[in-house]
Amino acid sequence: MALIIDGVAVAKKLRSELAAQIAAEKLAPGLAVVIVGEDPASQVYVRNKARAAEETGITSWTHRLPADATQEQLLALVAQLNNDGAVHGILVQLPLPKHIDAQTIIAAIDPDKDVDGFHPVNAGRLSLGLPCFVPCTPQGCMILLREAVTKTAGKRALVVGRSNIVGKPVAQLLLQADCTVTIAHSRTHDLVAECRSADILIAAIGKPEFVKGDWVKEGAVVIDVGINRVANPENPEKGKLVGDVEFAAAAERAAAITPVPGGVGPMTIACLLKNTVQSARMRI
Ligand code: GUN
């Protein structure tokens, strides 16, 4: 039976370290979170981010724009936050409504306040191995990976999913950790064989229980990035959350695995706070 990597505990420890650093260094970090529209999942994420920031000693402001806000209105808000000295981190929650071009908005954020690490400058710096804001979910994946593996050099790492938010940046971090990295996606031939040869498997597809238990190599470490709400006969109102991996069957073969919920999710928020503290520290 696999080690279940406890993301809640690791995130809690990171947050308490950040709170201690804020107090010791007399930092006054500020995080501005922008949400456009009413997407229910985004509303929950944004509320959780604001609450976690306040609990850690980071001032947070949530800016809510209506679903029909124009791209120009959002750009004006980003410009205002870029110029606000109390704001060290700017996070525009994705996805944005269809009529707004997300890349235009991301490119308008000051790279020195881009605590999501999505700006082309930060993405480029990450790929060059230069100091930058590292995207939060990939950073959280690596911290959890290190709970289970100390020696990553030479390991075969498979990233399933090629998104800008998770797949591509986590592949960069695995490469920096000296893994032999493969990125698989919807056009990959024989995904099952790719999975079965992976010592480290990062699942970031966004499809409930897509990776089957018997695709997991014996002794592999599995990091499950998925958060999917599915039907639950025991709770038809709320359903239940599952990851991108068939957890119980995978846990029988893996050496270590992250659960959903309670794995990568809490780490994403903790790493956002870490990036915000890093930003505040850079501008003392
Ligand atoms: N939507 C889903 N994950 C994220 C994230 O990490 N940052 C932002 N801004 N939006 C998201």
Side-chain angles (χ1 to χ4, degrees), residues 160 185-186 191 195 203 205-213 215 228 242-246:
V160 191
H185 46 78
S186 54
L191 177 63
C195 288
I205 311 128
K207 290 190 179 154
E209 298 176 325
F210 179 83
V211 175
K212 305 303 170 208
W215 299 6
N228 309 288
V242 298
D244 288 352
V245 179
E246 211 181 34

Side-chain angles (χ1 to χ4, degrees), residues 45 136-138 140-142 144 159-160 163 165-167 170 201-207 222-228 242-245 258-260 263-265 268:
Y45 292 146
C136 306
T137 301
C141 289
M142 295 304 289
L144 294 185
V159 180
V160 191
S163 71
I165 293 184
V166 183
V170 83
L201 199 163
I202 314 275
I205 311 128
K207 290 190 179 154
V222 179
I223 307 289
D224 189 348
V225 180
I227 303 177
N228 309 288
V242 298
D244 288 352
V245 179
T258 61
V260 178
V264 175
T268 296

Side-chain angles (χ1 to χ4, degrees), residues 24-251:
E25 298 172 44
K26 298 191 169 46
L27 300 172
L31 172 66
V33 178
V34 180
I35 178 164
V36 184
E38 306 291 335
D39 177 57
S42 291
Q43 296 280 348
V44 174
Y45 292 146
V46 162
R47 219 176 311 131
N48 289 344
K49 285 170 186 175
R51 181 156 25 105
E54 295 294 340
E55 284 171 9
T56 310
I58 297 173
T59 306
S60 88
W61 303 270
T62 302
H63 296 266
R64 297 173 188 280
L65 296 186
D68 61 358
T70 63
Q71 181 158 309
E72 287 64 38
Q73 282 172 314
L74 183 51
L75 285 171
L77 175 57
V78 168
Q80 178 197 320
L81 298 171
N82 282 344
N83 290 323
D84 184 338
V87 173
H88 302 95
I90 302 171
L91 179 145
V92 178
Q93 185 67 27
L94 303 177
L96 288 167
K98 295 259 180 295
H99 65 280
I100 296 178
D101 180 48
Q103 285 308 326
T104 302
I105 303 303
I106 290 167
I109 296 171
D110 179 346
D112 290 340
K113 296 189 178 189
D114 170 37
V115 284
D116 259 329
F118 294 165
H119 191 285
V121 165
N122 282 310
R125 293 181 68 89
L126 180 67
S127 76
L128 296 174
L130 297 173
C132 63
F133 287 117
V134 177
C136 306
T137 301
Q139 196 180 154
C141 289
M142 295 304 289
I143 295 172
L144 294 185
L145 177 62
R146 297 232 175 267
E147 290 285 305
V149 196
T150 42
K151 187 178 162 293
T152 48
K155 294 268 161 64
R156 284 181 189 275
L158 178 71
V159 180
V160 191
R162 56 174 155 180
S163 71
N164 291 341
I165 293 184
V166 183
K168 286 180 205 165
V170 83
Q172 294 289 352
L173 294 174
L174 290 161
L175 186 59
Q176 280 175 23
D178 297 322
C179 293
T180 301
V181 183
T182 303
I183 305 178
H185 46 78
S186 54
R187 300 293 185 90
T188 294
H189 292 298
D190 206 351
L191 177 63
V192 178
E194 293 290 346
C195 288
R196 284 186 180 146
S197 68
D199 304 311
I200 295 166
L201 199 163
I202 314 275
I205 311 128
K207 290 190 179 154
E209 298 176 325
F210 179 83
V211 175
K212 305 303 170 208
D214 68 354
W215 299 6
V216 172
K217 181 178 171 180
E218 288 285 344
V221 177
V222 179
I223 307 289
D224 189 348
V225 180
I227 303 177
N228 309 288
R229 197 171 289 279
V230 297
N232 178 9
E234 283 167 31
N235 190 346
E237 291 261 298
K238 282 199 131 177
K240 65 170 177 174
L241 292 181
V242 298
D244 288 352
V245 179
E246 211 181 34
F247 179 81

